[in-house]
């Protein structure tokens, strides 16, 4: 009796113990052993004691910790990063992080803070990031400044701060990023922000504040980025930052912001007193756009006029020789000549993407842009009956050309006569009609990337890729081949440097064995989403390594010899094929089990036959097929011994019978 109750007690204790460990273990997720844990959204009311003292990164968001005490995190001495997003924290008491000497980042987003002790952030030796977004803060004096000198990032967005009043001990030594977006700041005085004159190269965000007045000259410093997005009074902002040096100035606005005053030429005059490199004016409305509008923009390096409701830039703009990048996306130009490109002779990047009108390319509209390297004309309804040498005339330095997502281009000769520097050409999702006796890309000797996805290109034209001896990537997905077969012909013959070939969704039913014969550098072939029934690898056997994607085809069985002829370093994706898990496919099934590192997506590589195994991952199936040698020996022995016994029996019965 004594013995059994003792046993009972031991059992109970063991179980209790084991339950405790189990719950803690199943709760927080280990991201990196001993270092990184996520306890997100588990409704926890305290830090689990099972987290090791070596924990460096802890995501404790969406739990319940109404108050932080000096004991709350005292066990986690190695913490570097602590995320306490939406933990219903209201009170942060003295020394809440006093034991966390290494702590660099504290995220308190979405907690309605009612009390922060003066020593709330004391302890960490080098606290770098403090996130107080959406914490109900109404005034800067609520935040204790003790021990924040190492801060490089302070985020205070989506609070109720109406008056800045940065205190004199505001930590400026290491500050790089200060975010006040979506507060209620209306007036900024020089005194409010005088302490910022000690900073240099910081990013300061005021977007989404309805700023009515900034004391002229209040900000006088070097800024990396200044963001006054959505502010109504642009002249007021410019006066406020006069004499500053700003790398990037954001004066754009947002969709859904009410009616705002238009940009007339005088609105931007304040820029004459500021040194700005990159200017963003997204979604502003320009009125009376004339050369004067650009009067104070002559020092710019980049000008972004995305969606600014313009249909032409006036001729006669002068002095814009420093401008390297011009963004004119989402406007409504009728004609490429309407951008007056000659006024921007130093451009290296030009974007006219997402034009709302049918963009006429015209002839020689960009011919003064001898330094242009990147041209993006995608999504602009372009339809060209004779593309594109005349339109691109003069662009001798062009390296990237994006003509994707346009309507239709008719190629009657080479696509771009002066394209000898072109390295990337994207014509995806644009209907291409090729009507030349020679290859349309034959002069693009430096071209590395060619995207012809979904371009209805005629793949029967044998000399289509003539001259592309440096091509590395060719995307032909969503096009068709005659009879659904990649033929043995000269199509890919000259692409001796090709590494990546994308032929997905091409309705292919077969590949010719010689189709890729001359592609000696091939590394990746995507044949997914076709109608292939055979997995043929002979084509690739001469290569060192290959990635083959045959996913979403109609392959049922793969003979063992096809797998054995794969290059030593190869990975295949056979997922979503109607694979048979019968003895006719035993070659593939055993190969998969022996080479788990060579098969991509083993969970998606499932059986479809027999029905009893449908959906089961191929790699987990074990079949016994055929009869092994041992089996044969056993059967032979069994048959022989049966024979011997019968002979003996017959003999025995005969004798006995005769005796009767
Ligand atoms: C994790 O910590 C335990 C206990 O300190 C230690 O035994 C183990 O080796 C550590 N594992 C790694 C991967 O550091
Ligand atoms: C200014 O800050 C940016 C972003 O923080 C950084 O990338 C850049 O190197 C800095 N420039 C100087 C001169 O310190
Ligand atoms: C430029 O600054 C000077 C003084 O620093 C001021 O008098 C002038 O009005 C400013 N110009 C503009 C256009 O703001
Ligand atoms: C746009 O350019 C075309 C061709 O040069 C010209 O006929 C047209 O008047 C221009 N439109 C505007 C609005 O400047
Ligand atoms: C070309 O533009 C399209 C649409 O704007 C974009 O999706 C694509 O990534 C661009 N191509 C390249 C090579 O950047
Ligand atoms: C075309 O392919 C290139 C290279 O893979 C890619 O960067 C680009 O985004 C593709 N274009 C489109 C429109 O998807
Ligand atoms: C595609 O090209 C081949 C060979 O040049 C030609 O015979 C055929 O008519 C072309 N098909 C179409 C639809 O243009
Ligand atoms: C296998 O290929 C399919 C189709 O391209 C793709 O969706 C899937 O992500 C691939 N699997 C892996 C693990 O990359």
């Amino acid at each position: 009796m004594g013995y059994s109750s003792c046993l009972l007690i031991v059992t109970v204790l063991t179980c209790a113990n084991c339950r405790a460990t189990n719950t803690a273990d199943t709760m927080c997720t280990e991201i990196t052993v001993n270092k990184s844990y996520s306890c997100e959204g588990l409704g926890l009311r305290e830090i689990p004691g099972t987290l090791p003292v070596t924990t460096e990164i802890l995501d404790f968001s969406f739990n319940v910790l109404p108050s932080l005490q000096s004991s709350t995190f005292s066990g986690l001495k190695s913490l570097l990063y602590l995320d306490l997003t939406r933990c219903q924290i209201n009170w942060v008491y003295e020394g809440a992080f006093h034991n966390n000497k290494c702590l660099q980042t504290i995220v308190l987003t979405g907690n309605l803070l009612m009390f922060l002790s003066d020593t709330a952030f004391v302890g960490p030796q080098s606290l770098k990031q403090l996130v107080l977004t959406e914490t109900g803060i109404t005034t800067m004096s609520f935040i204790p400044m003790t021990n924040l000198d190492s801060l490089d990032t302070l985020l205070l967005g989506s609070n109720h701060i109406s008056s800045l009043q940065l205190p004199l001990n505001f930590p400026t030594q290491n500050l790089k990023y200060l975010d006040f977006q979506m507060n209620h700041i209306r007036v900024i005085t020089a005194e409010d922000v005088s302490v910022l004159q000690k900073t240099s190269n910081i990013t300061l965000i005021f977007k989404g504040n309805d700023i009515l007045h900034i004391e002229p000259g209040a900000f006088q410093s070097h800024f990396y980025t200044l963001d006054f997005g959505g502010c109504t009074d642009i002249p007021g902002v410019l006066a406020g930052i006069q004499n500053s040096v700003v790398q990037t100035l954001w004066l754009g606005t947002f969709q859904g912001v009410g009616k705002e005053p238009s940009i007339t030429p005088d609105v931007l005059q304040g820029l004459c007193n500021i040194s700005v490199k990159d200017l963003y004016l997204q979604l502003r409305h320009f009125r009376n756009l004339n050369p004067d509008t650009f009067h104070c923009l002559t020092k710019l390096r980049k000008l972004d006029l995305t969606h600014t409701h313009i249909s032409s830039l006036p001729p006669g703009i002068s002095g814009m020789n420093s401008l390297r990048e011009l963004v004119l996306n989402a406007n409504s130009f009728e004609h490429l000549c309407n951008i007056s490109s000659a006024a921007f002779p130093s451009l290296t990047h030009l974007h006219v993407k997402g034009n709302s009108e049918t963009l006429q390319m015209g002839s020689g509209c960009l011919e003064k842009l001898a330094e242009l390297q990147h041209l993006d004309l995608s999504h602009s309804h372009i339809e060209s009956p004779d593309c594109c040498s005349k339109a691109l005339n003069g662009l001798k330095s062009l390296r990237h050309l994006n003509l994707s997502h346009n309507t239709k281009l008719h190629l009657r000769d080479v696509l771009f006569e002066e394209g000898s520097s072109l390295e990337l050409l994207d014509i995806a999702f644009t209907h291409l009609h090729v009507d030349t006796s020679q290859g349309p890309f034959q002069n693009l000797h430096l071209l590395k990337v060619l995207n012809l996805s979904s371009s209805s290109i005629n793949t029967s034209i044998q000399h289509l890729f003539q001259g592309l001896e440096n091509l590395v990537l060719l995307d032909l997905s969503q096009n068709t081949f005659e009879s659904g077969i990649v033929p043995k012909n000269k199509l890919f013959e000259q692409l001796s440097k090709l590494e990546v070939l994308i032929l997905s969704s091409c309705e292919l039913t077969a590949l010719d064995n010689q189709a890729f014969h001359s592609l000696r550098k091939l590394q990746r072939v995507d044949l997914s989403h076709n109608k292939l029934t055979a997995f043929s690898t002979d084509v690739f056997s001469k290569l060192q390594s290959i990635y083959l994607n045959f996913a979403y085809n109609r392959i049922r069985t793969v003979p063992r010899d096809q797998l054995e002829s794969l290059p030593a370093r190869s990975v295949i994706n056979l997922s979503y094929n109607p694979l048979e898990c019968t003895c006719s496919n035993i070659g593939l099934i055993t190969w998969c089990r022996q080479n788990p590192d060579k098969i991509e997506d083993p969970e998606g590589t499932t059986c479809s036959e027999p029905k009893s195994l449908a959906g089961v991952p191929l790699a987990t199936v074990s079949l016994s097929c055929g009869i092994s040698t041992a089996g044969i020996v056993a059967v032979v022995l069994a048959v022989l011994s049966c024979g011997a016994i019968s002979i003996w029996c017959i003999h025995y019965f005969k004798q006995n019978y005769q005796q009767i």
Side-chain angles (χ1 to χ4, degrees):
M1 179 67 204
Y3 174 74
S4 55
S5 49
C6 191
L7 191 68
L8 187 70
I9 290 166
V10 168
T11 318
V12 168
L13 281 180
T14 322
C15 273
N17 190 16
C18 102
R19 188 170 312 127
T21 342
N22 269 345
T23 37
D25 281 352
T26 49
M27 282 175 128
C28 299
T29 316
E30 187 170 66
I31 315 281
T32 314
V33 181
N34 293 352
K35 292 221 180 321
S36 175
Y37 293 85
S38 171
C39 310
E40 186 196 333
L42 297 174
L44 300 176
R45 302 188 151 265
E46 59 178 18
I47 303 293
T50 47
L51 288 175
V53 67
T54 51
T55 304
E56 292 177 0
I57 298 174
L58 178 59
D59 178 355
F60 202 74
S61 56
F62 297 92
N63 287 298
V64 189
L65 287 179
S67 67
L68 305 185
Q69 324 263 357
S70 63
S71 57
T72 312
F73 306 107
S74 58
L76 299 173
K77 293 192 172 58
S78 310
L79 267 191
L80 292 174
Y81 178 99
L82 177 59
D83 187 347
L84 296 170
T85 298
R86 294 192 206 287
C87 280
Q88 303 174 30
I89 300 167
N90 302 130
W91 314 90
V92 182
Y93 290 110
E94 298 80 66
F97 306 103
H98 75 113
N99 232 2
N100 314 105
K101 296 272 179 283
C102 310
L103 198 56
Q104 294 186 345
T105 305
I106 304 175
V107 182
L108 286 165
T109 302
N111 291 288
L112 191 59
L113 298 178
M114 301 208 272
F115 173 71
L116 281 178
S117 151
D118 278 347
T119 57
F121 301 120
V122 168
Q125 279 166 355
S126 167
L127 188 61
K128 294 206 163 78
Q129 281 105 31
L130 181 56
V131 183
L132 295 170
T133 306
E134 238 187 283
T135 48
I137 294 177
T138 55
T139 150
M140 291 300 291
S141 58
F142 179 77
I143 306 168
M145 295 293 162
T146 319
N147 197 39
L148 297 185
D149 286 344
S150 306
L151 274 196
D152 63 37
T153 304
L154 177 57
L155 307 186
L156 289 160
S158 302
N159 282 303
H160 310 293
I161 300 168
S162 54
S163 162
L164 263 182
Q165 291 178 326
L166 299 181
L168 286 172
N169 60 348
F170 189 71
T172 50
Q173 290 92 316
N174 297 293
L175 203 61
K176 287 279 159 257
Y177 199 99
L178 182 54
D179 182 357
F180 288 106
Q181 65 177 288
M182 313 297 268
N183 274 283
H184 303 310
I185 301 166
R186 306 185 130 225
V187 175
I188 301 176
T189 67
E191 204 187 323
D192 282 344
V193 292
S194 65
V195 66
L196 292 181
Q197 287 180 17
K198 289 193 266 174
T199 64
S200 169
N201 195 35
I202 72 163
T203 292
L204 186 52
I205 314 279
F206 283 113
K207 73 173 169 210
N209 284 281
D210 190 9
I211 296 179
L212 298 177
H213 181 71
I214 305 181
E215 190 174 336
F219 295 93
Q220 293 192 23
S221 178
H222 283 243
F223 294 98
Y224 182 64
T225 300
L226 265 184
D227 186 344
F228 285 97
C231 296
T232 333
D233 179 16
I234 290 180
V237 167
L238 296 180
I241 61 176
Q242 67 187 339
N243 300 326
S244 287
V245 176
V246 187
Q247 179 78 30
T248 299
L249 179 58
W250 225 92
L251 293 176
T253 185
F254 312 101
Q255 219 104 39
V257 175
K259 188 83 188 126
E260 291 176 44
S262 320
I263 307 252
T264 51
D266 50 307
V267 167
L268 299 176
Q269 293 308 307
L271 282 166
C272 274
N273 278 355
I274 306 162
S275 163
V276 179
K277 284 272 167 281
D278 300 351
L279 178 64
Y280 290 77
L281 290 165
Q282 259 109 307
L283 284 156
R284 297 284 179 185
H285 278 261
F286 277 89
R287 196 152 49 84
N288 304 336
L289 193 63
N290 67 36
D292 282 348
T293 312
F294 292 81
H295 172 62
C296 293
L297 306 182
T298 54
K299 299 277 163 49
L300 292 183
R301 195 197 63 88
K302 171 172 181 176
L303 175 59
D304 190 325
L305 296 173
T306 297
H307 210 326
T308 44
H309 312 91
I310 49 182
S311 55
S312 74
L313 290 178
I317 300 170
S318 64
M320 298 294 291
N321 297 340
S322 304
L323 200 70
R324 312 291 280 174
E325 184 162 2
L326 180 58
V327 184
L328 296 170
N329 297 341
N331 284 300
S332 50
F333 299 99
E334 270 173 30
H335 201 282
L336 203 47
C337 278
N338 298 144
I339 70 169
S340 302
S341 67
F344 313 101
S346 311
L347 283 189
T348 57
H349 291 68
L350 175 62
H351 312 261
V352 192
K353 156 169 130 178
N355 197 61
S356 63
E357 304 276 323
T358 298
L359 184 66
Q360 314 264 338
M361 292 233 273
S363 164
C365 294
L366 307 176
E367 66 187 352
K368 294 283 158 54
L369 303 182
E371 293 177 40
L372 198 70
Q373 295 179 9
H374 290 247
L375 177 59
D376 186 351
L377 296 172
S378 60
H379 281 288
S380 289
H381 308 280
I382 295 173
E383 191 165 350
S384 168
D386 188 3
C387 182
C388 293
S389 292
K390 290 211 184 80
L392 304 176
N393 189 19
L395 302 181
K396 292 189 179 61
S397 312
L398 203 62
R399 296 200 287 134
H400 288 206
L401 175 59
N402 197 338
L403 283 165
S404 68
H405 294 281
N406 279 298
T407 312
K408 185 171 185 179
L409 306 178
H410 201 127
L411 312 184
R412 298 185 191 277
D413 195 353
V414 293
L415 172 99
F416 177 23
E417 212 176 302
E418 289 171 276
S420 59
S421 306
L422 206 62
E423 290 169 18
L424 182 149
L425 177 57
D426 191 345
I427 328 183
F429 303 95
T430 299
H431 192 102
L432 276 187
H433 187 83
V434 178
D435 191 6
T436 79
S437 50
Q438 302 261 284
F441 313 114
Q442 57 170 318
N443 59 328
L444 307 180
H445 298 298
L446 295 184
L447 200 68
K448 290 205 174 76
V449 175
L450 177 57
N451 195 341
L452 294 175
S453 174
S454 198
S455 62
S456 316
I457 188 97
N458 182 351
T459 51
S460 302
I461 303 173
Q462 292 212 355
H463 50 257
L464 192 58
F465 302 124
Q466 184 187 335
L468 296 177
E469 65 253 26
N470 279 305
L471 201 67
V472 173
L473 183 150
L474 176 60
D475 189 342
L476 277 173
S477 57
Q478 301 181 60
N479 289 293
T480 51
F481 284 79
E482 202 182 330
S483 325
I485 298 172
V486 181
K488 161 197 172 177
N489 69 5
K490 298 189 166 18
L491 187 63
F492 299 129
E493 194 171 44
Q494 295 196 5
L495 306 179
S496 57
K497 297 237 173 83
L498 200 71
E499 292 175 10
V500 181
L501 178 60
I502 304 170
L503 289 168
S504 56
S505 307
C506 288
E507 297 183 26
L508 294 173
T509 55
L511 312 172
D512 187 279
N513 261 355
Q514 303 280 304
F516 309 126
H517 193 65
S518 42
L519 307 182
R520 295 293 163 84
K521 293 269 170 65
L522 212 52
Q523 288 172 10
R524 296 179 72 84
V525 183
D526 188 348
L527 289 158
S528 62
H529 295 276
N530 280 301
K531 299 173 181 170
L532 299 169
T533 50
F535 176 79
S536 33
T537 61
D538 299 342
V539 210
F540 308 109
S541 58
K542 290 208 189 68
L543 301 167
Q544 299 279 308
S545 68
I546 190 87
Y547 167 83
L548 284 177
N549 195 334
F550 274 88
Y552 297 96
N553 274 286
R554 297 181 181 172
I555 297 166
R556 305 186 146 269
T557 60
V558 179
R560 178 98 199 182
D561 59 330
Q562 289 293 325
L563 298 161
E564 253 134 36
S565 70
L566 277 172
R569 276 184 290 128
S570 48
V571 172
I572 56 175
N573 186 336
L574 270 171
S575 56
Y576 307 99
N577 276 285
L579 296 169
E580 285 183 15
C581 292
T582 58
C583 286
S584 57
N585 211 11
I586 189 72
L588 176 66
I589 294 169
T590 39
W591 188 86
C592 281
R593 223 177 309 118
Q594 287 159 358
N595 298 279
D597 50 326
K598 294 191 178 174
I599 192 111
E600 191 176 64
D601 207 352
E603 282 84 45
T605 311
T606 55
C607 309
S608 72
E609 292 281 331
K611 285 285 166 282
S612 60
L613 286 175
V616 174
L618 198 84
T620 63
V621 170
S622 61
L623 288 182
S624 49
C625 295
I627 303 174
S628 64
T629 330
I632 293 171
V633 171
V635 169
V636 169
L637 282 179
V639 170
L640 284 180
S641 41
C642 271
I645 290 170
S646 335
I647 290 168
W648 180 81
C649 283
I650 293 167
H651 190 71
Y652 176 82
F653 278 113
K654 249 191 194 155
Q655 273 186 352
N656 284 353
Y657 193 70
Q658 277 168 0
Q659 275 174 8
I660 293 173

